Amino acid sequence: MITRLFGFKGGVKPESHKNESSGPPIQKGPIPKRLVIPLRQSIRSTARCLVQPGQKVLKGEHIGEGEGGLGTSVHASTSGTVVEIAPYPMAHASGMETLSVVIEPDGEDRWIDHTPLDLRAVSREEALAWLRGCGIVGMGGAGFPTHVKIGGGQGIETLVINGAECEPWITCDDRLMRERAAEVLSGAMILRELIGAKQVLVGIEDNKPEAIAAMQAAASKLGDGIAVVPVPTLYPAGGEKQLIRVLTSVEIPQGKLGTDFGVQCFNVGTAHAVHRAICFGEPLVSRVVTLTGNVARPGNYEVLLGTQVAELLQLAGPKADTDRYIMGGPMMGTELQSLSVPVTKGTNCVISASPALFPPPPPELPCIRCGACARACPAELQPFELYWFSRAKNFGKAQEYHLFDCIECGCCAFVCPSRIPLVDYYRFAKGEIWARERERQASDQARERFEFRNYRQEREKEEKAAKLAAKAAETRAKLADTGEPAPAPAEAEDPKKALIAAALARAKQQQAAVAPRNTEDLSADVQAEIADIDARREKLNQQDADKAP
Ligand code: SF4
Ligand code: SF4
């Protein structure tokens, strides 16, 4: 099916260090004393907690409901009791925390009832919902929900299964392919069906001959339409765009995806998880993790999600001179700030580092603009420009130079003669840009709230004025019906004032109606008394008028 391979730009050849851990078969890790299961297990989405402290749960029980378009479910990794729901540190350079469900296992490892999904009996949408419910996300580290990545299933010609595993030291995919090749390819065939791809290409770096042989043997039983292809060992051949380029010749430009060119790519671990989810109804509750570096028993261990690194490391036995731990590989991994962080769906490796294995980098020297970093960059960026702009906090310029196309592969830093930790600068710049974006969104929301409050107050004022005007019109109409004199124009707008003015007018009329008669012959004393009474009445009327609101 494949007649020739293609090269990608850039790349480096670090020492692979695969032999340290790839020898022994995958071992099953024991059930730990407690599990800390983060509710954030997929990119940009934290699941809504479905359990409470004190609640008993079974293995595979739904404990977090995925929310939003990128949401996916989270499950209990074994049976036990929920003892706490609280923020715990994540494997992140900043040491940031995320809400997690803490489970005390009962040691019985009892599963929920689970059954396979018959793909022929359900619609494509139901199958995708099933994968979402089983919490399947990309296991190569990106954590992108698989049901979203399968997408519309339109126009995809080629499904690429990524078994390159190009990072030094990591061997979990290698062992998975050697030992569970049929299961991985079963998942690949399910993905092919859901995507509607015509062909499946499995790319494996040629430094894994046993994995290539096992996968080729399994593929030969599946007939045409699937090829297992050894690709040259060159870091980062396992990058999605790089592997697609090598296998299909398709060059995916900056800002575009493989799907734009009819190619979709999934990691071998993801294909294996899809197989377990469809063929057994098993949610994703465990994964294979490489423990290697400065340890007594390097190897690959199948461990429950939520196992804390401190407990995990006991399986491999870190040596006394270990001075730090890296989650992931040395090129793209993160130095752990805390050993309480748990294994998540994207955790593929924990490396114990010692000064002998990973000597401290020599002091950083000034950039000499030699261009070595640009020649090594597989994303075709200008790393030294990104470095200058990031260092000068000129984030706008860094974005102009496509900072967000940087895949943080570390090739530039690997070749830099000045030993500049370039990727640290890019991560800093990206973090600052994201933080500013969050601040901008928060201030936009505050401004919108303020403007809405002003608008609401204005609207209420106008509604009140309209009600008063309607009431005044009603009053005027009533007065006109009874034949009483209309109030003065200023009073007409206020129904209360209009009523008072009408009452005063009525009093005046009554007064005129009862005007005394035959008073011409009154004595001077009586006339004076009447004048005094009139004056007092006038005064009282005036006081009433003044009191009116
Ligand atoms: S490799 Fe290092 S010294 Fe050379 S241009 Fe890039 S950043 Fe500068
Ligand atoms: S880390 Fe970024 S800039 Fe450096 S080589 Fe990789 S993609 Fe290029």
Side-chain angles (χ1 to χ4, degrees):
M1 190 191 306
I2 284 234
T3 51
R4 63 171 284 217
L5 296 176
F6 300 84
F8 61 87
K9 195 183 165 296
V12 294
K13 286 195 175 189
E15 273 187 60
S16 73
H17 288 286
K18 301 280 190 183
N19 291 338
E20 283 84 340
S21 60
S22 65
I26 298 169
Q27 297 170 60
K28 202 159 188 258
I31 298 171
K33 289 190 199 74
R34 61 190 234 141
L35 292 163
V36 178
I37 305 174
L39 288 166
R40 187 185 177 89
Q41 294 250 3
S42 69
I43 189 165
R44 280 180 262 149
S45 174
T46 302
R48 180 170 49 85
C49 188
L50 298 176
V51 290
Q52 293 173 341
Q55 190 173 329
K56 302 262 186 226
V57 288
L58 293 174
K59 182 171 185 163
E61 191 165 327
H62 213 173
I63 60 171
E65 173 71 43
E67 292 192 299
L70 293 175
T72 183
S73 299
V74 179
H75 305 83
S77 312
T78 188
S79 55
T81 307
V82 175
V83 292
E84 192 186 5
I85 293 159
Y88 272 81
M90 294 170 66
H92 193 273
S94 66
M96 70 194 262
E97 297 185 332
T98 188
L99 195 65
S100 306
V101 176
V102 183
I103 295 176
E104 220 165 68
D106 58 16
E108 296 175 18
D109 209 26
R110 268 181 303 135
W111 269 100
I112 49 164
D113 288 336
H114 53 100
T115 51
L117 179 73
D118 182 356
L119 275 184
R120 284 158 304 185
V122 297
S123 68
R124 187 172 177 280
E125 286 64 37
E126 285 169 318
L128 296 192
W130 182 272
L131 292 178
R132 185 186 204 263
C134 285
I136 311 299
V137 301
M139 293 176 76
F144 200 86
T146 300
H147 68 279
V148 179
K149 199 166 172 186
I150 290 171
Q154 302 284 321
I156 304 295
E157 284 280 314
T158 305
L159 168 65
V160 169
I161 298 294
N162 189 344
E165 200 171 52
C166 59
E167 265 263 6
W169 295 93
I170 307 178
T171 57
C172 56
D173 287 351
D174 182 6
R175 286 300 332 179
L176 196 70
M177 291 186 285
R178 287 198 214 182
E179 297 176 39
R180 303 179 195 173
E183 294 189 5
V184 171
L185 291 186
S186 159
M189 300 315 270
I190 293 167
L191 286 166
R192 176 167 92 162
E193 193 172 331
L194 293 174
I195 283 177
K198 292 191 177 60
Q199 63 171 352
V200 180
L201 302 177
V202 185
I204 306 173
E205 272 194 322
D206 56 14
N207 62 355
K208 303 176 190 66
E210 294 89 345
I212 293 168
M215 293 286 278
Q216 282 177 335
S220 66
K221 297 182 186 142
L222 296 174
D224 290 341
I226 179 161
V228 176
V229 188
V231 299
T233 299
L234 177 68
Y235 179 85
E240 192 165 304
K241 288 186 177 181
Q242 287 69 39
L243 188 60
I244 289 174
R245 164 75 188 156
V246 170
L247 292 174
T248 67
S249 86
V250 171
E251 186 104 47
I252 301 165
Q254 285 168 354
K256 293 282 180 187
L257 297 171
T259 46
D260 298 325
F261 298 86
V263 192
Q264 185 58 287
C265 183
F266 292 90
N267 170 266
V268 286
T270 313
H272 179 259
V274 166
H275 161 78
R276 302 295 310 177
I278 300 290
C279 300
F280 297 93
E282 281 180 15
L284 182 49
V285 293
S286 65
R287 69 156 296 146
V288 181
V289 180
T290 305
L291 299 182
T292 187
N294 193 41
V295 294
R297 298 174 294 281
N300 286 282
Y301 298 84
E302 177 148 23
V303 297
L304 299 179
L305 302 182
T307 304
Q308 288 173 292
V309 168
E311 206 163 342
L312 182 70
L313 286 166
Q314 291 169 17
L315 298 172
K319 294 180 186 165
D321 59 337
T322 298
D323 61 349
R324 63 204 165 94
Y325 297 91
I326 300 163
M327 192 173 262
M331 301 293 281
M332 295 183 79
T334 311
E335 190 173 323
L336 289 176
Q337 307 294 311
S338 156
L339 294 188
S340 67
V341 303
V343 170
T344 61
K345 296 175 185 184
T347 307
N348 51 9
C349 179
V350 179
I351 302 175
S352 300
S354 66
L357 281 179
F358 296 92
E364 181 181 329
L365 297 170
C367 171
I368 53 172
R369 288 193 170 259
C370 64
C373 51
R375 289 190 292 280
C377 178
E380 301 191 43
L381 301 174
Q382 299 290 323
F384 55 90
E385 301 281 14
L386 290 176
Y387 157 66
W388 283 112
F389 294 133
S390 302
R391 188 185 154 136
K393 299 188 182 170
N394 189 343
F395 302 126
K397 271 281 183 200
Q399 278 181 279
E400 260 180 48
Y401 276 74
H402 305 288
L403 174 68
F404 284 95
D405 285 323
C406 167
I407 56 173
E408 298 180 17
C409 66
C411 289
C412 50
F414 183 79
V415 297
C416 176
S418 296
R419 311 309 294 164
I420 302 171
L422 294 160
V423 182
D424 290 351
Y425 285 98
Y426 310 149
R427 285 181 179 155
F428 162 74
K430 286 179 184 175
E432 287 292 304
I433 292 167
W434 281 325
R436 287 178 189 192
E437 180 61 18
R438 277 196 295 275
E439 270 172 32
R440 193 187 60 74
Q441 280 176 2
S443 89
D444 281 354
Q445 280 169 359
R447 197 187 65 242
E448 272 169 28
R449 276 200 300 274
F450 174 73
E451 285 173 357
F452 181 71
R453 201 190 61 188
N454 282 353
Y455 160 76
R456 202 189 58 220
Q457 285 176 343
E458 278 302 310
R459 196 190 57 200
E460 283 171 358
K461 249 194 225 168
E462 281 170 16
E463 283 172 0
K464 202 169 166 188
K467 266 190 207 158
L468 286 173
K471 187 89 179 161
E474 198 184 318
T475 307
R476 277 198 305 276
K478 268 189 202 158
L479 292 175
D481 285 350
T482 56
E484 290 179 5
E491 291 160 346
E493 297 310 314
D494 186 332
K496 263 192 194 166
K497 281 188 184 166
L499 285 172
I500 290 164
L504 287 174
R506 265 199 312 276
K508 268 188 193 162
Q509 277 178 350
Q510 282 165 2
Q511 199 180 350
V514 293
R517 279 166 294 188
N518 304 321
T519 54
E520 301 84 31
D521 299 328
L522 294 177
S523 67
D525 286 352
V526 173
Q527 281 183 3
E529 196 178 340
I530 289 171
D532 184 43
I533 289 167
D534 283 344
R536 272 187 282 144
R537 185 187 295 121
E538 187 60 32
K539 195 175 170 188
L540 284 172
N541 284 342
Q542 190 57 47
Q543 280 172 352
D544 283 347
D546 291 345
K547 275 186 209 160

